[in-house]
Amino acid sequence: MKNRFRIILATALAMACMTAKADEGMWLPSLISQRIVDMQEKGFKLSAEDIYSVNQASLKDAVVLFGRGCTGELISPEGLLLTNHHCGYSQIQQHSSVEHDYLKDGFWAMSRKEELPNKGLNVSFLERMEDVTDIILKGYTPEMTEEDRVELVKANSKALIAEATKEGKGLRATVEALYYGNQYFLFLYRQYDDVRLVGAPPSSIGKFGGDTDNWMWPRHTGDFSMFRIYADKDNNPAPYSKDNVPYKPKKYFRISTKGVQEGDFTFIYGFPGSTKEYIHSEGVRYIEEIGDPHKIHLRTLRLDIMNKYQAQSQKVRIQYSSKNANVSNAWKKWQGEVKGIKKMKTVRTKQEFEKAFDRWAQGGEFDGIIGKLAGIYAELEPYQFATDYYSETVRTIELANFAMSMARLFKQTDSTVTFDKERASEVAASFYKDWYLPIDKESFIAVMNEYEKNVPADFKPEYYKEKLASYGSIEAWAEDMFTNSIFIDPVRTEALDAADKDAVMADPATEFFNEFLKWYASDIQPVTTRLNQDLQLAYRDYMRGQMVYCRTQRVMKDFYPDANLTLRVAYGHIKGYSPADGVYYTPSSTIKGIMEKDNPEIFDYNIPQRLRDIYAAKDYGRWADASGEVPVCFIATNHTTGGNSGSPVINADGDLIGLNFDRVWEGTMSDIVFDPEICRNIALDVRYVLFTIDKIGEADYLFDEMTFTE
Ligand code: ARG
Ligand code: GLU
């Protein structure tokens, strides 16, 4: 018995303390000198200064935050940028209509003049990052409450940001907490707002495999699109203008066409969004047993409805393509995540670790922290559940969202009401372009029935209960809203005026959204905010505690801060994996696999005829590899997450070999727990990008501005 306990304890310790031995980790570029020896031992040939430097041009200057959720990289001295197809998706869609279906047919600017500007799209270069913990915590005393500390951090951050960005010229800055606020870093960015679409393959290449293959290996998706950054004559950020000129980057990637092999070193430089590697077992249990399963179920209902209508009409298919992809993406990921957490027995392992930690902590600084965290989670759970339900039901009703955004355009000053008609017209145009009433109405019925069934009465607004009682059913409610709301009718919406404020507020769609919003703000949010603050505070200690504990147990762990959409380095190597007993996946795929999947009957697998012809004639130009096929994708052991989409995959020499775009399904629990045996990122081989530009897009004029290493 005693022995058994020791073994369990040792395993728990090893799992929780020793992870960084393998390829786990998302490291801070400015501290990469602490990892560089390990990187070099694994094959990397460049120095820490080559990765990140504030004194000279370094690889960081060729990487951008694309929008606020993807990564992109510069591949020419003239501002040419590569990111994923799914990252440029909404831009490609915005330029598409039934007549010019760039989603379906692809788009290639054949000259700079044909590049398409994009409202609202921007890219940010990291100028520098810096540890500012002392400045941010200036004035802090241990007696302070968490609220006061939050206020202090806010005020100090604001001053620091104002100082850091005073030059203007597109500078913006954020202060981010690392390790739950044990450390603060300043991130200074320069943001460019004129970013134009240069090219995108047809979706039958860029989204080949669609949501069927999403999160899966083997994969054959040509998930890329190209943009160009424009600047004013002095290379500074400027809003769109036809006088702008291509941006001249400090650094851009050379492209390696040498090819990749199992075992090769890979380095991913990008903006991972969010991970929770150090959380308490109760946090994991909620995700595994409650949060993810309910959210998955609600999205299954919505997806079934969208899919049904999208299959019936090309117009609806385009209208809902981007929305469907967004809903489906997390839906599928959560399923892999739950499976992975179960398989790894993460809750159990964490509980064992917590027991050992708790025993060790007795009488010391971290005494009681484990119990405290469990207590906060217990209190939080029903509120978290209500929040999850609210956001996956009420907030997904498109008509209600739209109604509310129109209601917000009424402004009351003293006794006069104004209505921003111009803005209203814009918002309405973009809403109606992509809205299909039957989908929204059926979704309302589906998700609100689940809401009724699963959310406890104490966590529902009075408004909702009364309304439902008076309607008699969710169906009757939907009937009223989707028949009588002003907003189902573009003509009535267009005619709205300042005098219509009361009518808009009383509209069934506005009222629905607004009443829930008020309820959430008064009954739920204050509690979740307070409890999350308590959690934050407890985690600040627990995080530090884990670091001290692992050191004292002499099971060394190199800690890395959880991802928070700041620039990180992940490194590893190209490697296959075994997803299940008896199955082994090799690490690269080729065009042959595309032909094996090709099926004109199945939307996701119907490739362009041109690709079939090229394959039949083996007309690969210079893009075939040693086996005579065109390489398409590969997998590697880099630790990545959402936000890393579009990240450059870099080889030992610092050259571009691919474009990150996904992870394997069996490894999606890596946001919570990383398993080096199974967690793999999926990348697009840069040679398939070049092949597609050349042979499908016939836009090989773009090669003239790129630098190839061989
Ligand atoms: N799973 C990838 C990511 O998380 C790709 C998503 C876009 N593709 C799709 N088929 N929905 O962003
Ligand atoms: N496709 C994801 C993204 O948009 C990357 C995949 C992942 O979550 O690792 O960032």
Side-chain angles (χ1 to χ4, degrees), residues 69-70 84 86-87 215 329 640-645 660-663:
C70 276
N84 289 148
H86 78 262
C87 293
W215 299 109
N329 193 43
T640 55
T641 187
N644 271 124
S645 271
N660 188 72
F661 71 96
D662 213 357
R663 269 176 294 167

Side-chain angles (χ1 to χ4, degrees), residues 79-282:
L80 193 60
L81 176 153
L82 204 51
T83 187
N84 289 148
H85 186 262
H86 78 262
C87 293
Y89 203 72
S90 62
Q91 281 76 34
I92 305 166
Q93 195 223 4
Q94 279 308 309
H95 294 296
S96 295
S97 60
V98 174
E99 298 78 50
H100 295 280
D101 192 347
Y102 298 142
L103 282 177
K104 180 162 163 287
D105 304 324
F107 166 78
W108 293 97
M110 284 304 164
S111 71
R112 302 249 160 112
K113 275 203 209 70
E114 289 177 16
E115 296 173 355
L116 301 173
N118 298 287
K119 244 197 208 134
L121 175 64
N122 56 60
V123 298
S124 306
F125 289 87
L126 180 68
E127 293 269 311
R128 65 184 160 86
M129 55 190 285
E130 145 184 20
D131 187 338
V132 291
T133 313
D134 292 345
I135 301 172
I136 296 301
L137 292 181
K138 197 158 169 202
Y140 174 72
T141 56
E143 300 80 53
M144 268 186 181
T145 63
E146 183 62 5
E147 271 115 11
D148 290 344
R149 188 183 187 275
V150 168
E151 286 311 311
L152 178 80
V153 166
K154 240 192 239 159
N156 287 343
S157 301
K158 203 172 155 204
L160 185 64
I161 288 170
E163 173 63 26
T165 56
K166 67 170 186 278
E167 176 201 314
K169 293 188 184 159
L171 285 183
R172 66 174 183 87
T174 62
V175 170
E176 305 289 347
L178 301 178
Y179 301 115
Y180 296 93
N182 281 298
Q183 247 181 346
Y184 290 92
F185 266 69
L186 172 77
F187 293 86
L188 183 66
Y189 299 96
R190 201 179 293 277
Q191 176 177 314
Y192 285 79
D193 295 316
D194 185 355
V195 184
R196 304 184 194 169
L197 179 64
V198 173
S203 295
S204 50
I205 288 179
K207 209 189 162 186
F208 178 76
D211 287 298
T212 318
D213 282 10
N214 191 21
W215 299 109
M216 311 269 261
W217 184 255
R219 189 66 157 278
H220 302 87
T221 312
D223 197 343
F224 80 95
S225 59
M226 295 176 98
F227 289 81
R228 190 186 304 280
I229 307 170
Y230 280 78
D232 70 13
K233 282 178 221 55
D234 304 317
N235 213 30
N236 285 318
Y240 170 80
S241 153
K242 60 176 179 12
D243 300 329
N244 285 349
V245 293
Y247 166 73
K248 304 243 172 299
K250 286 183 223 151
K251 181 93 188 169
Y252 63 93
F253 283 100
R254 296 184 306 181
I255 297 171
S256 165
T257 52
K258 211 165 40 197
V260 298
Q261 246 151 33
E262 181 140 27
D264 282 358
F265 173 86
T266 52
F267 156 25
I268 294 208
Y269 213 169
F271 290 86
S274 156
T275 58
K276 306 180 168 77
E277 310 288 346
Y278 308 104
I279 59 172
H280 186 275
S281 57
E282 277 301 289

Side-chain angles (χ1 to χ4, degrees), residues 85-86 89-90 103 207 210-211 214-215 299 303 306-307 310 317-333:
H85 186 262
H86 78 262
Y89 203 72
S90 62
L103 282 177
K207 209 189 162 186
D211 287 298
N214 191 21
W215 299 109
R299 288 195 176 202
L303 286 166
M306 281 191 238
N307 290 335
Q310 282 183 277
R317 182 175 61 67
I318 298 174
Q319 287 179 316
Y320 277 75
S321 54
S322 191
K323 296 174 192 172
N324 188 315
N326 285 337
V327 176
S328 149
N329 193 43
W331 167 79
K332 193 161 180 185
K333 186 218 149 173

Side-chain angles (χ1 to χ4, degrees), residues 658-673:
L659 205 54
N660 188 72
F661 71 96
D662 213 357
R663 269 176 294 167
V664 304
W665 195 64
E666 300 86 351
T668 46
M669 71 295 191
S670 65
D671 293 346
I672 293 160
V673 56

